[in-house]
Amino acid sequence: MRSPRRCSRNGCPRQAVATLTYVYNDSTAVVGPLAAFAEPHTYDLCEPHARSLTAPRGWELVRHDGEFAPPPPTTDDLVALAEAVREAARPVQRQDEDLPDPHPHPHQQGRRGHLRVIPPAH
């Protein structure tokens, strides 16, 4: 599962809320809200690093005014939440029960490694 985007600064474990982009032709560094997608020539920053960033000498720094909103949950977050709900909803079978299931399910979920087989919806 992919984790949320983290700050690009070495050793920083915080979640990214801003994106730094350099415009080399204009000698400008731009710090704005987190871009929708990670791009190869941009840097994701946490709020403390986005607020404290300085531009190289002779460069202009354009910084977003206002609060940096946390990024919305990713589909991976939603899938993980759904899996946790499914896991919590599973009935617990006692160890001392040797009786067969009184309500057999013809299409049960199966597991193979890290993949789960889900029966088709009818």
Side-chain angles (χ1 to χ4, degrees):
M1 176 170 34
R2 189 182 54 143
S3 62
R5 286 161 56 186
R6 299 283 177 200
C7 183
S8 297
R9 297 291 298 260
N10 286 338
C12 183
R14 294 184 198 99
Q15 187 172 3
V17 296
T19 297
L20 166 64
T21 306
Y22 289 107
V23 182
Y24 293 97
N25 290 341
D26 297 331
S27 298
T28 304
V30 180
V31 178
L34 188 64
F37 301 99
E39 297 289 334
H41 300 290
T42 62
Y43 302 91
D44 294 336
L45 300 173
C46 64
E47 187 156 4
H49 285 126
R51 298 266 179 230
S52 65
L53 182 88
T54 59
R57 187 172 302 184
W59 283 54
E60 183 181 353
L61 176 63
V62 177
R63 191 187 321 261
H64 168 73
D65 276 341
E67 298 297 315
F68 289 108
T74 64
T75 55
D76 291 339
D77 295 337
L78 298 175
V79 169
L81 179 60
E83 289 292 327
V85 169
R86 276 191 207 112
E87 193 67 32
R90 284 198 180 128
V92 178
Q93 190 171 7
R94 295 189 338 231
Q95 293 293 333
D96 59 345
E97 281 186 12
D98 291 328
L99 301 174
D101 187 358
H103 306 288
H105 303 286
H107 297 288
Q108 289 187 333
Q109 289 184 349
R111 229 184 218 295
R112 182 176 178 129
H114 66 284
L115 302 175
R116 183 178 308 229
V117 178
I118 300 175
H122 295 290

